[in-house]
Amino acid sequence: MESITLALAKGRTAESTIDLLQKIGIHFEDFHEDSRKLVFYSEDTSIKLIFVKAVDVPTYVEKGAADIGIAGKDNILESGADVYELLDLKIGQCKFVVAGKPEIYPFAQQRLIVASKYPNITEQHFRNKGITIETVKLNGSVELAPLIGLSDVIVDIVETGNTLKENGLSVLEDVEKISTRLIVNKASFATKSQLIQPFIKRLEAGLEGKP
Ligand code: PRP
Ligand code: MG
């Protein structure tokens, strides 16, 4: 039987995504949160689930290693992957912001130094505003950068706002809303539409609360 490969981001949104799939009747038999296994099959074997690093989901889908991916809008935007984005699963809702010490805003200096895990999104945002920046790519704990003088501001994700608050930083500008999205490989969308279309329909119904 033909199957579709679904790439899912490991990490904080994985459980909610698996819950949503269960709600629409797709069960992965031996899946449990603490498992170190990276490949699972749905009970009817029509879906092969692979767990990949969140940041890599768009690449797997663009290259066709996965037909479908479920990934954060943050990683989809940052990757610039050429894929179809077809559904907002409304999981992991948060936003991209420019943040820093409140006194730095509005920006007065000629050349801002901006730290971020997302250099492409950062550069795009400031390019749109006509502000020249120097980007410092970090891999985490980005809030530290303005505190110790590594950068003037940061571009990062805010969910509850606690990390900013506890580090004396404020939101200076909103950049983009983020949530988990369903993406599809362009070729697979055509060649496997008989499997992909019903899957999307079921997910849509699940999101609207229909059985
Ligand atoms: C993320 C993000 C922010 C924080 C936002 O960091 O980069 O720092 O969560 O959440 P909050 O608004 O609810 O505080 P994460 O915990 O993933 O760590 P990392 O940035 O060090 O990878
Ligand atoms: Mg962080």
Side-chain angles (χ1 to χ4, degrees):
M1 191 176 100
E2 211 185 4
S3 67
I4 44 179
T5 300
L6 168 63
L8 197 63
K10 284 196 287 191
R12 57 176 80 181
T13 59
E15 209 189 321
S16 309
T17 309
I18 294 284
D19 286 350
L20 174 63
L21 292 171
Q22 292 210 337
K23 192 177 151 197
I24 62 167
I26 299 172
H27 302 276
F28 297 94
E29 268 180 46
D30 43 355
F31 174 81
H32 63 94
E33 269 168 69
D34 304 327
S35 174
R36 299 289 299 162
K37 240 176 100 167
L38 298 171
V39 182
F40 297 91
Y41 290 89
S42 62
E43 278 167 347
D44 66 357
T45 70
S46 67
I47 299 175
K48 178 183 182 180
L49 176 69
I50 57 173
F51 276 104
V52 307
K53 279 278 252 200
V55 60
D56 291 333
V57 172
T59 308
Y60 275 77
V61 175
E62 182 182 40
K63 303 283 183 205
D67 302 298
I68 292 181
I70 293 179
K73 180 72 179 173
D74 51 337
N75 292 317
I76 299 167
L77 278 174
E78 182 63 21
S79 73
D82 185 19
V83 295
Y84 294 129
E85 184 186 312
L86 297 179
L87 268 186
D88 183 350
L89 304 186
K90 310 253 167 72
I91 293 166
Q93 288 179 316
C94 50
K95 61 181 180 175
F96 263 126
V97 303
V98 180
K101 293 183 187 163
E103 57 270 22
I104 198 164
Y105 202 78
F107 305 127
Q109 67 245 65
Q110 285 299 309
R111 195 179 168 80
L112 270 186
I113 304 176
V114 188
S116 185
K117 279 194 277 191
Y118 304 90
N120 294 331
I121 292 164
T122 298
E123 279 154 29
Q124 177 78 48
H125 175 72
F126 284 99
R127 199 178 309 123
N128 290 347
K129 292 172 61 73
I131 295 178
T132 309
I133 61 161
E134 181 188 323
T135 310
V136 178
K137 163 82 163 78
L138 295 177
N139 293 297
S141 299
V142 180
E143 291 84 356
L144 197 54
L147 301 183
I148 57 164
L150 179 59
S151 74
D152 298 311
V153 293
I154 62 172
V155 168
D156 200 20
I157 289 171
V158 172
E159 192 179 0
T160 62
N162 288 341
T163 312
L164 288 184
K165 199 169 155 205
E166 290 187 22
N167 291 289
L169 302 174
S170 306
V171 174
L172 305 176
E173 287 173 351
D174 284 348
V175 175
E176 180 104 26
K177 283 188 178 163
I178 298 172
S179 56
T180 299
R181 310 289 163 92
L182 180 94
I183 55 175
V184 180
N185 173 269
K186 289 190 163 178
S188 301
F189 190 65
T191 57
K192 294 189 175 179
S193 70
Q194 80 287 359
L195 286 173
I196 291 174
Q197 297 279 15
F199 176 71
I200 292 171
K201 288 259 169 330
R202 282 168 80 182
L203 262 180
E204 265 175 331
L207 288 168
E208 286 163 14
K210 295 173 196 153

